[in-house]
Amino acid sequence: MDAYDWLLVLHVTGAFLLIGGAVVAGVFNVAALRRERPSEIALLLGLTRWAVVAISAGLLVTLGFGLWLVHHVGYGWGDAWIVASLALWAASGFLGSRGGRLQRETRVLAERLAAQGDAPSPELRARLRDPVAMALSWSSGLAALAILALMIWKPGA
Amino acid sequence: MLALVRPDSWNLPLFLHVLGAMALVGAIAATAIAAGRSQESPLLRRVAFMTLVTVVLPSWVLMRVAGEWINSREDIRGTPGWLDVGYIVGDAGLVVLLVTTIIGWWSTRRPERSWPARTVTALASLYLVALLVAMFAMTGKPGA
């Protein structure tokens, strides 16, 4: 394996962390949507912390080794697919962090309600189904998928 | 560097293959996490089982079918080691996943027993490691 192979392996590892982590978060969020008891919702949303670690690491690793690959291979820094990928990377990170913050607030509410009798709450139900939080998180995931498509098709390269 | 010059007709199957593999890695990790924490709530056994049925197995199918699709497009001479690793992890993995799913279903039926959930955690973690080895082999193509 030469330097290019190693850089590609590390870059792809970052992409697996990023999108794999998004799938983990999606699984536990969808499971939480189907529950009513605050303690169960808090437990499921708490498990997404594993996903946040993977997504954060994936974002950093894909960017670092991606930039290194562009330099190593000699792609143009102004190539449309590279510029678009960087813009989508920033958008994915921003949208994901905003959506994650709203979900963290939902988890904190669920933990508080669980400690106060664990009765189903209309407020918690509404927070879980907040269209803004859902749109932010799903948009972040779609941006990551769009980056994957750009990496494979490399339009204009 | 040859990987940089890829016919356009390979792109869609490659995209679907990689997408399936990424979803499979995330879903099997979620299964391992849910089963591993299931002593906190029986709910997590059901989450692990439902993740296996609704995400892991469909992702495996996408990864495997798209992998065969791109293999039919590429003209690979012989059977290089990196491709062998992919096939072994893919095909043997189906057996592991089916056994894991059956034990996962059993764990939801027998909440008083801890071994089914522990077995699901172990098998899912083992398969996650195997998938990462396959990812390394198929991306870096060592020996090619």
Side-chain angles (χ1 to χ4, degrees):
Chain A
M1 286 172 62
D2 59 17
Y4 168 78
D5 293 324
W6 279 108
L7 289 173
L8 186 62
V9 164
L10 292 167
H11 181 59
V12 171
T13 300
F16 269 75
L17 279 169
L18 175 59
I19 295 182
V23 171
V24 173
V27 163
F28 292 131
N29 272 303
V30 169
L33 282 171
R34 302 162 69 92
R35 311 309 303 177
E36 291 291 337
R37 282 178 54 198
S39 60
E40 292 181 338
I41 292 166
L43 175 63
L44 289 164
L45 294 183
L47 294 180
T48 61
R49 276 180 280 199
W50 294 79
V52 172
V53 173
I55 291 168
S56 303
L59 279 167
L60 290 175
V61 171
T62 49
L63 181 69
F65 288 102
L67 294 177
W68 197 343
L69 266 172
V70 170
H71 173 73
H72 182 80
V73 175
Y75 289 125
W77 289 100
D79 287 0
W81 68 278
I82 291 174
V83 174
S85 299
L86 289 170
L88 284 166
W89 180 91
S92 180
F94 176 75
L95 294 168
S97 71
R98 301 294 292 184
R101 189 177 301 173
L102 292 174
Q103 284 171 350
R104 194 163 52 246
E105 289 170 7
T106 305
R107 177 174 54 80
V108 169
L109 173 64
E111 286 169 350
R112 197 171 71 236
L113 291 169
Q116 293 171 349
D118 207 17
S121 149
E123 185 191 0
L124 180 59
R125 178 179 247 274
R127 284 272 195 96
L128 266 178
R129 290 162 179 75
D130 178 13
V132 175
M134 291 174 92
L136 287 167
S137 297
W138 287 102
S139 302
S140 172
L142 286 175
L145 285 186
I147 297 172
L148 175 63
L150 283 170
M151 291 295 119
I152 288 177
W153 269 274
K154 295 182 177 65
Chain B
M1 290 290 181
L2 285 175
L4 300 175
V5 194
R6 191 172 49 230
D8 282 346
S9 65
W10 297 8
N11 287 336
L12 180 61
L14 179 61
F15 174 75
L16 294 174
H17 176 62
V18 175
L19 179 62
M22 288 175 166
L24 181 55
V25 163
I28 203 73
T31 302
I33 293 168
R37 296 282 296 271
S38 63
Q39 76 279 4
E40 294 175 37
S41 167
L43 161 69
L44 293 180
R45 293 185 180 207
R46 290 201 298 277
V47 171
F49 171 65
M50 289 307 294
T51 303
L52 282 162
V53 173
T54 61
V55 193
V56 170
L57 292 173
S59 300
W60 183 91
V61 170
L62 178 62
M63 183 269 296
R64 188 65 185 82
V65 169
E68 201 57 44
W69 184 8
I70 192 168
N71 192 31
S72 71
R73 297 285 174 96
E74 289 189 61
D75 183 22
I76 299 170
R77 290 173 196 162
T79 313
W82 59 267
L83 191 57
D84 274 341
V85 171
Y87 271 116
I88 290 167
V89 171
D91 293 350
L94 180 60
V95 178
V96 174
L97 291 179
L98 290 175
V99 170
T100 308
T101 304
I102 291 167
I103 297 172
W105 172 80
W106 185 252
S107 78
T108 64
R109 296 281 164 177
R110 294 287 183 275
E112 74 282 3
R113 294 185 183 172
S114 62
W115 70 264
R118 284 208 304 267
T119 306
V120 169
T121 308
L123 289 174
S125 302
L126 186 72
Y127 193 52
L128 178 61
V129 172
L131 285 171
L132 295 177
V133 170
M135 184 272 293
F136 173 82
M138 303 205 77
T139 307
K141 297 179 174 55

